[in-house]
Amino acid sequence: MHDDFVANLRLLCSYYPSIAEVCRRLTINRAQFNRYLSGRYRPSHAALQRICHFFGVTTEDIALPHHDFRALVQTGQLKSEATPAALPWPNALVQRGSEGMERYIGRYFELYHSMSRPGQLMRTLVCLEAREGGVVYQRTERMQTTPGSRPCHNRYVGTAVKLADRLFLVDHETLNGHEITQTILFPSFQSQVTRLTGLKMGVADNSERMPCCVRVVYQRLDEQVSLREALAQCGLITLDDPSLDDALIAATRNDVAADEHHFRARH
């Protein structure tokens, strides 16, 4: 990730007249910034946040493989979508729904049965963060079409609210604009948030584009796990993957009991 970060940072700087101009606008020491550009030092969390805010990208974006990051920047979609200025729901609803969301801020693995590859689980990276007026998130999918090929990434951005003891997440796909998904999760009543379960609805990412609903699990990530490590674990995984435990497999199973008349979430 460090090499990709350096290449991505250099690309962003290339859109300005000079490095000195970037440093002046960032109010950052030129010698220190040169260390970031050379790869000798990694910015602190606070410095990284300031750099990303200045360039209009997220910390997840700037950690993407350089090939994918360059494609996003060159198509003009990254800067227009990366930091939504306004939340897409009514202000009163977002403000009310933001109460109690602080404990859910962080990174998660999202796991569910793939809508386009039956029999396999999809693992994506979801990052929730507080913004002025509400909570927004980015969801990143990592897909590898054939073994050994360069993976591609899909980005979704959305808003999360908590209403009457349920978490509602709505997002849209930013690269092609082909999909909107909705996820409803049970909140956690434990002292620490570790796993959240619920339902997710979207469309299969193939030519059929079949609307689907699946059971989903959000698995909280340790803060020590880097973005590169987290993204490397994302993608399609088989049900016998050693990283899956029995409880997680059961929570994502899409079976319907004989006495169930609806496809229901299971706590």
Side-chain angles (χ1 to χ4, degrees):
M1 184 183 72
H2 197 64
D3 291 340
D4 288 320
F5 168 79
V6 170
N8 295 342
L9 183 59
R10 289 176 178 172
L11 175 63
L12 292 171
C13 289
S14 70
Y15 287 88
Y16 288 81
S18 65
I19 300 299
E21 174 70 9
V22 172
C23 293
R24 183 183 67 80
R25 295 194 184 189
L26 267 171
T27 62
I28 194 169
N29 181 273
R30 171 71 182 271
Q32 183 63 35
F33 195 74
N34 282 339
R35 294 187 183 100
Y36 301 153
L37 290 173
S38 67
R40 285 183 291 166
Y41 290 90
R42 174 77 177 173
S44 66
H45 178 74
L48 181 61
Q49 291 281 354
R50 188 167 61 168
I51 290 170
C52 289
H53 179 73
F54 170 75
F55 286 113
V57 301
T58 66
T59 55
E60 289 76 29
D61 289 328
I62 205 168
L64 287 172
H66 182 62
H67 178 272
D68 298 321
F69 183 84
R70 184 176 67 246
L72 294 179
V73 172
Q74 291 174 346
T75 56
Q77 302 205 35
L78 184 69
K79 295 189 71 173
S80 63
E81 298 288 352
T83 53
L87 299 171
W89 295 355
N91 288 338
L93 181 65
V94 171
Q95 291 174 2
R96 185 177 67 184
S98 298
E99 296 179 6
M101 283 295 296
E102 299 85 2
R103 65 195 306 260
Y104 299 103
I105 300 301
R107 299 173 184 168
Y108 298 81
F109 278 144
E110 175 196 50
L111 295 109
Y112 60 92
H113 275 268
S114 171
M115 300 176 186
S116 58
R117 304 287 181 86
Q120 298 185 73
L121 289 182
M122 170 66 78
R123 180 189 281 144
T124 73
L125 178 63
V126 181
C127 303
L128 278 78
E129 60 180 287
R131 295 280 177 87
E132 184 176 354
V135 175
V136 298
Y137 67 96
Q138 174 170 298
R139 187 164 58 85
T140 305
E141 288 182 353
R142 179 179 181 271
M143 294 291 291
Q144 199 167 17
T145 54
T146 57
S149 65
R150 177 185 290 272
C152 60
H153 296 80
N154 291 326
R155 292 176 59 253
Y156 298 75
V157 295
T159 304
V161 296
K162 181 175 180 287
L163 300 171
D165 286 335
R166 295 293 180 265
L167 305 180
F168 295 83
L169 295 83
V170 178
D171 60 50
H172 69 282
E173 195 271 325
T174 64
L175 302 184
N176 300 306
H178 289 169
E179 185 180 3
I180 293 174
T181 71
Q182 179 179 2
T183 302
I184 303 176
L185 302 170
F186 293 105
S188 174
F189 299 102
Q190 299 177 347
S191 58
Q192 292 186 335
V193 179
T194 55
R195 282 185 180 177
L196 304 170
T197 60
L199 291 179
K200 176 186 182 70
M201 187 167 67
V203 297
D205 186 18
N206 54 27
S207 58
E208 186 182 30
R209 289 185 55 78
M210 180 63 68
C212 299
C213 185
V214 294
R215 293 191 176 98
V216 65
V217 171
Y218 273 47
Q219 187 175 26
R220 189 72 171 263
L221 287 179
D222 190 296
E223 293 182 356
Q224 300 304 313
V225 177
S226 69
L227 284 172
R228 180 173 185 174
E229 292 171 330
L231 284 170
Q233 297 180 57
C234 291
L236 292 169
I237 55 177
T238 58
L239 294 175
D240 59 357
D241 190 287
S243 66
L244 304 176
D245 56 60
D246 291 341
L248 194 150
I249 293 175
T252 56
R253 187 175 295 122
N254 292 321
D255 59 320
V256 179
D259 60 345
E260 291 182 321
H261 298 282
H262 307 92
F263 188 70
R264 295 167 56 89
R266 291 178 182 161
H267 205 301

